[in-house]
Amino acid sequence: MRLTTIEADLVVLVYLKRLNTIMIKKLSSYLERRGKSKSLFVILHGFRGTPQKMRFIKKNLADVDPDADFYIPKLPFSSIFSRTTPSKIVQKQFECIEYIWNDKIKRDHKEYDKIVLVGFSFGALIVRKLFVVASGECKRAPFEKEIKSKEVKKWSSKIERIILIAGANKGWRISYHMELPTYLLFSLAYRIARPLGRIPGLKSTMLYIKRGTPFINDLRAQWILLHRRFKKDNIEPPITIQLLGSKDEIVPPEDDVDLSSGSKFIYLDVPNSNHGDMVKMDNSKDGKERSRIFLDALTKDREALKQLQVSPYDPDDLIKSREDITDVIFVIHGIRDVGYWTHKVARRIKSKAEKQYSDRKFATETSSYGFFPIIDFLLLGQREKKVQWLMEEYLKALAYYPKAQFSFVGHSNGTYLLAEALNTYESCRFKNVVFASSVVNTKYDWASKLKEGKVENVLNYTATTDVVVAWFPYFFEKIGSSRLGGAGHVGFKSKAIDQIGYIKGYHSASREEENWDSIAEFIINGPKKKENWGIIAEEQSWVFKGFNIFAHRGLIVLLLLSIIVGLGFGLWYLCYKSIYGWTVVFVILYTWVIIRILKKF
């Protein structure tokens, strides 16, 4: 039976009412109203924590403000097996705070005077993200799909202070900074969680908050851009204080101190405190000292806190922002290369730009991720680390060049790094992009990247005899890789970008000096001005193309025969030994492989 429109609307209203009732019941157990309810303190626990572990924080806050309401929820990462994404956690808590705010106005006919956000460890990341979401989306670093709110919320202006206790501002990672038991525990948990995370629905929450992940790096970019907007609009941001444990065995100094997005934090040292001790503000000597420092963070004004703060980093590590720079050019090398040539190309682009424009000032980024051997290139995990490295460099540039637009020149593996960064991070944005000898899949979706504003213009060079791309990454594309491919050999299939085919020469042809001016012209002006390219060939040699086709098919046949023979031998051996349980498994696997091979051909 089909419902009428009115009946359907009534069903939705009943559902929403029930949902609202469930939310109220949950909030009633986490929200404590006190006194005149003038303030709201939001307190979020850490990974594998509980609201009970935040009781000392609550007591300190209650002593300072008897008219404050407390919201201390139990978050869905109290177990190591938790699988809720951080974005969903943020969205849920955002809705709860929104409800508390509106309910306060409805009940008392007035707003809270102030809101204070306190987060411990992973909870510190959540409170930062809550503030970002409440402050509205920035187009250059859009929110994740799970985040529904895009506009500025009124209660964001009431957030007076954000206190981060042992906050993992760059995410967590396994490091030798950890004590041995912690190192072994994290290593074991990660080695179990990572392969399971490849299975849909089984990815652990801890994997979402590891250093370099989209949630972490997009949050850092959003924080930088939000505070840039505050400065432009002459808005005073909340005081943000980071409490650092002197013996923190989980979050190393280079992870809780973020020079890119957290350079304006006020840092306070907490003596004799490891990671878990940071919220133990009991009656012991060390507990009382932690309590005193926490109360300083809560009550003292910005200037007084600046007098108390420590410098957790070498001042030489800080680079003053360059507001005069209008364009930043990334030039990134490939594998088995340390990138000496990148400096030369960067100088040529900069020199050519300065001759053309007096009102634009260029800077270059030619950092190297080091020598990257071909064996590491074959490993997805190693390639992911280099993508995260590129995003780290991007965030540094985003912080140091507040008024600049970014462009990119990549060769070989450098093209892979940007392609994956654009796929992975919502905040990754480049204006003009040049790919040379690209190892990216030919089916890469440039149209969506252009539509989303992640890039504006793309130029891809292919070479006449790029043996490296033709025999290696293109072969992986032929056997089913969705990431590696032969875009530097046969070009991208996308019609949305500019492509030059073919540069005369081998793998390095498109980055040789004869082509520097052409690269520079596209980076500076995009496709508007095109020079006489000069070193272009009309097509690749038929001998080269024919040999590649023969070689690829030969390798594919050898690979498939190896798989069939290997599985066949295993099946024969199991039958011979009468291991019937594993025989069934091998029969299923063998049948599946044969079917896939037949479909492929």
Side-chain angles (χ1 to χ4, degrees):
M1 182 180 67
R2 296 183 65 182
L3 297 176
T4 65
T5 304
I6 296 175
E7 288 172 334
D9 289 342
L10 286 173
V11 169
V12 172
L13 286 172
V14 170
Y15 172 75
L16 291 174
K17 188 174 181 180
R18 286 181 180 176
L19 199 65
N20 198 37
T21 303
I22 293 171
M23 180 179 283
I24 292 170
K25 285 182 178 179
K26 286 189 175 181
L27 281 173
S28 64
S29 61
Y30 299 143
L31 177 65
E32 180 183 339
R33 295 188 176 94
R34 301 170 65 256
K36 298 179 181 179
S37 297
K38 292 183 177 181
S39 308
L40 175 64
F41 289 121
V42 177
I43 307 171
L44 302 185
H45 61 77
F47 193 69
R48 300 181 63 201
T50 62
Q52 176 64 15
K53 290 185 178 180
M54 306 301 286
R55 63 188 182 279
F56 295 114
I57 303 292
K58 178 185 174 183
K59 182 181 182 302
N60 277 291
L61 294 171
D63 291 342
V64 170
D65 193 342
D67 291 320
D69 292 348
F70 290 104
Y71 175 57
I72 315 177
K74 183 178 181 180
L75 301 172
F77 47 75
S78 56
S79 166
I80 198 169
F81 301 106
S82 300
R83 298 190 300 275
T84 310
T85 67
S87 299
K88 288 183 179 178
I89 295 169
V90 170
Q91 176 61 26
K92 178 66 176 177
Q93 296 311 311
F94 174 83
E95 290 171 358
C96 290
I97 296 172
E98 178 81 355
Y99 178 85
I100 293 169
W101 172 265
N102 292 330
D103 186 60
K104 159 71 175 172
I105 296 172
K106 182 179 179 181
R107 185 166 46 87
D108 298 337
H109 305 290
K110 59 182 178 180
E111 303 168 345
Y112 284 111
D113 293 339
K114 68 176 182 180
I115 298 175
V116 176
L117 305 179
V118 181
F120 168 56
S121 191
F122 179 28
L125 291 170
I126 300 298
V127 298
R128 285 181 68 190
K129 188 74 170 187
L130 282 169
F131 173 62
V132 167
V133 173
S135 300
E137 184 180 62
C138 171
K139 288 184 178 180
R140 190 169 175 179
F143 297 151
E144 300 87 332
K145 292 179 181 178
E146 292 94 340
I147 305 297
K148 307 303 180 186
S149 177
K150 308 296 181 184
E151 69 277 3
V152 179
K153 293 296 180 180
K154 191 172 182 180
W155 54 268
S156 67
S157 63
K158 296 292 185 177
I159 298 175
E160 182 183 272
R161 201 165 297 230
I162 301 172
I163 302 178
L164 313 173
I165 305 173
N169 291 311
K170 290 185 180 179
W172 70 272
R173 64 189 174 97
I174 299 168
S175 74
Y176 294 109
H177 169 84
M178 296 175 170
E179 294 180 353
L180 183 59
T182 305
Y183 177 84
L184 294 175
L185 177 63
F186 269 70
S187 298
L188 177 62
Y190 180 61
R191 297 193 190 289
I192 294 172
R194 188 182 180 191
L196 289 175
R198 304 287 184 188
I199 304 172
L202 292 183
K203 188 170 183 178
S204 170
T205 304
M206 68 180 294
L207 295 179
Y208 290 101
I209 56 173
K210 194 173 182 292
R211 182 167 178 169
T213 55
F215 178 80
I216 297 295
N217 281 342
D218 283 335
L219 170 59
R220 295 169 66 195
Q222 289 158 359
W223 189 271
I224 292 169
L225 295 169
L226 174 61
H227 283 72
R228 191 169 296 164
R229 190 180 82 201
F230 285 162
K231 183 178 180 181
K232 180 181 177 182
D233 297 340
N234 201 25
I235 297 173
E236 183 74 11
I239 303 172
T240 304
I241 306 104
Q242 168 86 342
L243 303 185
L244 305 171
S246 61
K247 299 187 294 184
D248 195 326
E249 79 287 9
I250 292 180
V251 184
E254 61 268 29
D255 290 340
D256 57 18
V257 178
D258 183 359
L259 297 182
S260 297
S261 68
S263 60
K264 301 299 182 183
F265 290 178
I266 294 172
Y267 294 94
L268 299 179
D269 264 337
V270 182
N272 301 315
S273 301
N274 62 29
H275 194 75
D277 289 338
M278 292 290 285
V279 292
K280 294 179 181 177
M281 302 176 187
D282 52 19
N283 289 323
S284 66
K285 180 181 177 182
D286 291 334
K288 289 179 179 177
E289 180 65 6
R290 293 181 201 118
S291 180
R292 182 190 66 78
I293 295 169
F294 177 75
L295 290 174
D296 283 345
L298 179 66
T299 59
K300 293 188 179 296
D301 61 29
R302 196 184 299 270
E303 293 305 315
L305 286 168
K306 285 182 178 179
Q307 297 299 317
L308 295 174
Q309 78 165 330
V310 297
S311 179
Y313 40 73
D314 189 331
D316 292 336
D317 291 337
L318 285 174
I319 300 176
K320 293 182 180 179
S321 63
R322 293 283 306 276
E323 297 197 4
D324 58 322
I325 300 296
T326 61
D327 296 81
V328 176
I329 314 302
F330 283 70
V331 186
I332 306 298
H333 63 84
I335 66 170
R336 305 185 74 252
D337 179 6
V338 291
Y340 296 131
W341 61 271
T342 61
H343 303 276
K344 300 173 184 178
V345 173
R347 286 199 300 270
R348 178 66 64 88
I349 296 172
K350 190 175 179 181
S351 173
K352 196 173 180 68
E354 288 172 348
K355 291 177 181 177
Q356 291 187 27
Y357 296 98
S358 59
D359 58 338
R360 290 168 65 183
K361 194 169 182 63
F362 285 71
T364 58
E365 175 55 60
T366 56
S367 297
S368 170
Y369 52 86
F371 187 84
F372 194 45
I374 198 166
I375 296 299
D376 286 348
F377 177 74
L378 290 173
L379 303 175
L380 178 60
Q382 294 299 319
R383 297 202 305 270
E384 286 177 344
K385 288 180 181 178
K386 301 308 178 186
V387 175
Q388 292 168 4
W389 167 86
L390 176 62
M391 193 60 186
E392 188 68 37
E393 297 303 308
Y394 178 90
L395 288 168
K396 289 178 185 177
L398 190 65
Y400 300 155
Y401 304 109
K403 295 183 178 180
Q405 57 188 3
F406 297 168
S407 291
F408 185 93
V409 178
H411 175 255
S412 190
N413 188 52
T415 68
Y416 176 88
L417 300 189
L418 179 62
E420 285 299 301
L422 293 171
N423 278 339
T424 305
Y425 303 103
E426 291 294 332
S427 56
C428 189
R429 294 285 190 277
F430 284 90
K431 184 180 181 182
N432 297 325
V433 173
V434 171
F435 274 11
S437 299
S438 176
V439 296
V440 178
N441 193 287
T442 61
K443 297 177 183 177
Y444 189 80
D445 188 6
W446 283 114
S448 67
K449 302 299 179 290
L450 290 161
K451 184 178 179 181
E452 294 165 7
K454 290 192 169 185
V455 293
E456 290 186 24
N457 305 294
V458 180
L459 175 63
N460 180 57
Y461 286 102
T462 56
T464 54
T465 50
D466 193 334
V467 177
V468 174
V469 176
W471 286 17
F472 193 52
Y474 193 39
F475 171 72
F476 281 95
E477 180 178 339
K478 288 288 188 180
I479 62 173
S481 172
S482 60
R483 299 183 179 186
L484 296 175
H489 169 52
V490 295
F492 289 104
K493 296 185 184 301
S494 175
K495 304 297 182 184
I497 65 172
D498 290 299
Q499 302 199 69
I500 300 298
Y502 298 88
I503 296 291
K504 295 178 183 177
Y506 300 97
H507 189 57
S508 62
S510 49
R511 65 169 173 82
E512 296 294 345
E513 186 171 0
E514 292 84 357
N515 204 39
W516 290 356
D517 285 340
S518 299
I519 291 173
E521 193 61 47
F522 189 88
I523 288 295
I524 297 166
N525 297 304
K528 295 177 182 178
K529 291 176 67 176
K530 293 185 178 181
E531 294 186 338
N532 179 14
W533 303 97
I535 55 173
I536 293 178
E538 291 185 1
E539 61 180 12
Q540 294 171 323
S541 163
W542 66 268
V543 176
F544 179 66
K545 289 192 292 185
F547 184 78
N548 286 327
I549 293 170
F550 175 78
H552 282 163
R553 291 189 176 177
L555 287 171
I556 291 171
V557 169
L558 285 174
L559 181 64
L560 294 177
L561 285 174
S562 299
I563 294 172
I564 292 170
V565 171
L567 289 175
F569 176 78
L571 183 59
W572 171 84
Y573 182 80
L574 290 170
C575 292
Y576 178 76
K577 294 290 185 179
S578 299
I579 307 175
Y580 298 115
W582 281 106
T583 301
V584 174
V585 173
F586 256 71
V587 167
I588 295 171
L589 181 61
Y590 193 76
T591 305
W592 178 80
V593 169
I594 295 298
I595 291 171
R596 289 298 300 270
I597 290 171
L598 291 174
K599 284 185 175 180
K600 188 76 176 176
F601 283 92

